[in-house]
Amino acid sequence: MYVKICGITKSEQAVAIAQMGIDALGFICVPNTPRYVDSARIRLITNLLASRIDRVGVFLDASMAEISQVVQNSGLNCVQLHGDESPEFCREFKSIIPNVKLIKALRIRSQESLAQVENYSSCVDVILLDAYDPKLAGGTGKTINWGLLSDFHPTCPWWLAGGLSADNVAIALQHLQPDGIDVSSGVERSPGNKDIDLVNRLVETVQEVVGGKI
């Protein structure tokens, strides 16, 4: 089970969380949002991490040039597109930045929105399903209607996001079969300030459900 903790802003928290055995840390590269960190700050944090930890930059309708520059300056090896980026944009990304894992987030509120997955599954490495909010693109604390996902079996790996925490992740994993989970607000004291105890509880709960190390 792949585990990503997103919305990292503090070096000491990044190091502590990475040592719990998680797979990836996420950095919000969207200016004027509560968890935003600039390239210099991301580089400072990523320099402290073991090489096995994926470093994911989260972008919202950014240009290809902007994404490329941030990736180069920050030490990222994964990019998560969380806006209205088209399949064509994703294909262009893979041709221009081929050695970076590409994650496309889709905000799900109906079967119609879930049907978008087919358009992206052949041009990204991972699909991430997040909860829909009319005002916020992510970090809402809301969960998806998991009933919509009962028969969800895409042709590419997929991760579950949206309001996950130590209190509900076991239920989610018992009902669904995601390849990974992405958690942000569910392990925070405030936006960008992670609660290490909550992260540890989440990790231990996931390990119990999957029957071993994550």
Side-chain angles (χ1 to χ4, degrees), residues 121-176:
S121 58
S122 65
C123 55
V124 301
D125 297 294
V126 177
I127 291 289
L128 183 149
L129 302 186
D130 202 356
Y132 174 83
D133 184 279
K135 295 182 180 179
L136 299 174
T140 66
K142 295 181 177 180
T143 57
I144 302 173
N145 176 0
W146 296 335
L148 294 173
L149 308 178
S150 58
D151 295 317
F152 183 64
H153 303 290
T155 56
C156 67
W158 73 282
W159 300 346
L160 179 67
L164 294 175
S165 69
D167 295 326
N168 65 10
V169 70
I171 298 172
L173 297 181
Q174 287 162 2
H175 286 80
L176 305 172

Side-chain angles (χ1 to χ4, degrees), residues 40-165:
R41 183 66 180 165
I42 297 173
R43 172 65 76 173
L44 178 66
I45 296 173
T46 58
N47 283 344
L48 302 174
L49 301 176
S51 58
R52 69 168 189 84
I53 302 293
D54 280 341
R55 306 136 164 88
V56 184
V58 180
F59 296 85
L60 183 71
D61 297 321
S63 69
M64 195 72 67
E66 178 184 350
I67 296 172
S68 298
Q69 183 173 23
V70 173
V71 167
Q72 182 177 359
N73 294 340
S74 303
L76 301 172
N77 66 349
C78 306
V79 163
Q80 180 175 317
L81 302 178
H82 218 95
D84 295 322
E85 301 88 1
S86 67
E88 290 72 26
F89 185 93
C90 295
R91 292 188 184 92
E92 182 182 2
F93 177 98
K94 294 297 289 183
S95 66
I96 293 175
I97 318 177
N99 297 321
V100 172
K101 180 188 292 185
L102 181 59
I103 305 146
K104 179 68 182 88
L106 298 173
R107 287 166 277 173
I108 304 302
R109 58 174 168 171
S110 65
Q111 287 291 350
E112 287 73 20
S113 55
L114 190 60
Q116 299 176 71
V117 171
E118 292 184 13
N119 299 326
Y120 290 92
S121 58
S122 65
C123 55
V124 301
D125 297 294
V126 177
I127 291 289
L128 183 149
L129 302 186
D130 202 356
Y132 174 83
D133 184 279
K135 295 182 180 179
L136 299 174
T140 66
K142 295 181 177 180
T143 57
I144 302 173
N145 176 0
W146 296 335
L148 294 173
L149 308 178
S150 58
D151 295 317
F152 183 64
H153 303 290
T155 56
C156 67
W158 73 282
W159 300 346
L160 179 67
L164 294 175
S165 69

